[in-house]
Structures are given as C-alpha cells and as structure tokens.
Amino acid sequence: MLTKLEHYGIRGIALEWFKNYLTNRKQIVKYKQKNFESLTIKCGVPQGSILGPLLFLVYMNDISRCSDILSIILFADDTNLFLSHKNLDTLENTMNHELRKIASWLSANKLFLNIKKTHFIIFKSRGKKPNQNVSIKINGQPIEQVKNTKFLGLYI
C-alpha cells in the first residue's frame, strides 16, 4: 500500500503519516469470553475506518493494467471482467490466458479470489447454437458458468 501511495505522488510527511497509520497494528480475537493472543497485522487497512474505502480503491486501481484486452469494471469491492469474441474456442483460450495475468496480479498484491463467489456468463445472439462446454479457470480452479447473474444490483 505504501509503495502504491508513493507511486501516486504521496511523499514526505504525508507518506510518513500513512506509514504510521498502517504499520504496527494489532488484532485480537475474542471468542466465548476468551481472549486469544494479540497478533500484528501485516497488510490491509483498518475495517470500518473512514480511509478504508479510499485506500482500497487506490490499492485496486492498477488491476486494469493487467490486461490490454479485457474490459474491467471496478465498483467498491466488486470486480467484473469482460471479453468479447465471435469464436467460442478463441474466447475460452484468451480468457484463460488473461486470467493467468489477473491471478499473478492478485498474488503480487496479496489478495485472494473467493472462487465460490466467482462465475462467468456467455452472451450470444438468438439462434446461435447452445453453449458448448467452456472451461474457464483461475489458478487451476474451474469457474462456474451461470445463465444469469447480478451486476451492480441488476439481474442480467
């Protein structure tokens, strides 16, 4: 996070302030009236903080540089990837190739994809033959194909 802030022009006293804000934080788990050992938080931003959403957007902003061909829409903590091609085999191969780039970015940024909340949908013209078996994967894990999905509050 600090490297990204510096990249975007935050330097000097302001960067030191962020460094102080983000480092040496601790967390503790309390379960059934028992406190567990306090641990240092090594990455992330304080949950519920005013700066949290803004810092998250700064952190995620450069995911769009992973691919020159995917259209990427970011909204809060929801990321959507779009790819279009007339040939389904080409679409499948290209998307799997681009997802390797996304997986690499996620790993480099210490982020994890919840595969259970991840799915894809294929749109086609009326009259086209039914969808063939399409295998889209990220980190070797298959992504579920669905016929409809919720996108920014709308069902498509």
Side-chain angles (χ1 to χ4, degrees):
M1 181 80 244
L2 294 171
T3 302
K4 288 187 183 206
L5 287 170
E6 189 171 19
H7 173 77
Y8 288 119
I10 307 296
R11 294 188 177 81
I13 294 171
L15 186 62
E16 286 300 315
W17 184 89
F18 276 108
K19 183 177 181 181
N20 182 275
Y21 178 69
L22 294 170
T23 57
N24 297 318
R25 301 183 77 80
K26 303 242 182 227
Q27 72 178 12
I28 190 165
V29 173
K30 182 176 183 178
Y31 180 71
K32 293 186 177 181
Q33 306 303 320
K34 182 179 178 185
N35 289 339
F36 291 84
E37 182 182 351
S38 171
L39 298 173
T40 301
I41 300 171
K42 295 181 180 177
C43 62
V45 296
Q47 294 292 316
S49 68
I50 300 268
L51 286 175
L54 177 63
L55 290 174
F56 178 79
L57 291 174
V58 168
Y59 199 73
M60 289 295 296
N61 192 47
D62 63 344
I63 194 171
S64 61
R65 296 184 185 172
C66 285
S67 172
D68 293 327
I69 61 173
L70 291 178
S71 295
I72 301 176
I73 295 177
L74 301 170
F75 184 78
D77 64 347
D78 196 13
T79 303
N80 294 272
L81 311 173
F82 297 89
L83 181 64
S84 175
H85 201 280
K86 291 181 180 182
N87 182 288
L88 196 56
D89 291 328
T90 302
L91 181 85
E92 178 181 3
N93 291 331
T94 304
M95 182 54 96
N96 282 317
H97 177 76
E98 295 303 301
L99 283 175
R100 285 191 286 278
K101 295 178 188 177
I102 296 291
S104 178
W105 184 92
L106 290 168
S107 177
N109 285 276
K110 299 180 182 176
L111 294 172
F112 302 92
L113 180 70
N114 185 341
I115 199 75
K116 292 178 183 174
K117 292 183 176 182
T118 304
H119 53 267
F120 72 95
I121 188 168
I122 294 181
F123 299 97
K124 58 183 173 54
S125 302
R126 287 185 191 249
K128 293 275 184 175
K129 62 182 175 178
N131 289 345
Q132 303 163 355
N133 288 335
V134 176
S135 177
I136 304 294
K137 296 180 180 182
I138 189 161
N139 287 333
Q141 295 182 302
I143 299 174
E144 178 187 12
Q145 182 175 355
V146 297
K147 292 184 179 184
N148 54 59
T149 189
K150 192 173 180 184
F151 175 67
L152 300 179
L154 299 173
Y155 285 97
I156 299 175

